[in-house]
Amino acid sequence: MLLPAKDEVARYLKLYRTWERMMLAAPADRAARGNFEDTGYTLCVLMGKRCAREAVHAAERYLAAGSARRRERANGRSPKGALPACPEGLATSPAT
């Protein structure tokens, strides 16, 4: 599966939260509601979800997984699920 760029997901997630706050602060503001819905739709497309809430949760998990892997590499541990290295430097299947 082709995954979206993390910086794009982070940007749209931040926009979604901003428009969400603005819409909740002024529910009658049609522009805020429209931008909130448009941003939610974009997150749905990026994350392959049908519902904006599901897309937001998927985006949060996607971004958190990447930061956890970076922390593990910084601490000298191999990321969870990483494949062991061959002597030649090639990755092998966990089944071998």
Side-chain angles (χ1 to χ4, degrees), residues 45-74:
V45 171
L46 285 172
M47 301 312 299
K49 301 294 180 182
R50 295 181 131 187
C51 165
R53 280 284 145 204
E54 289 176 10
V56 167
H57 292 303
E60 289 169 342
R61 286 190 307 269
Y62 178 57
L63 295 173
S67 62
R69 285 189 194 112
R70 282 191 295 277
R71 280 193 306 272
E72 287 176 347
R73 284 188 197 120

Side-chain angles (χ1 to χ4, degrees), residues 15-92:
L15 277 172
Y16 179 86
R17 294 293 187 200
T18 300
W19 286 116
E20 181 180 43
R21 284 190 301 275
M22 292 177 78
M23 192 221 23
L24 291 172
D29 184 351
R30 289 182 185 218
R33 180 172 293 277
N35 286 321
F36 171 69
E37 290 174 356
D38 289 347
T39 307
Y41 175 78
T42 302
L43 275 173
C44 286
V45 171
L46 285 172
M47 301 312 299
K49 301 294 180 182
R50 295 181 131 187
C51 165
R53 280 284 145 204
E54 289 176 10
V56 167
H57 292 303
E60 289 169 342
R61 286 190 307 269
Y62 178 57
L63 295 173
S67 62
R69 285 189 194 112
R70 282 191 295 277
R71 280 193 306 272
E72 287 176 347
R73 284 188 197 120
N75 292 334
R77 293 182 295 211
S78 62
K80 186 176 183 179
L83 298 175
C86 283
E88 302 87 38
L90 301 174
T92 60

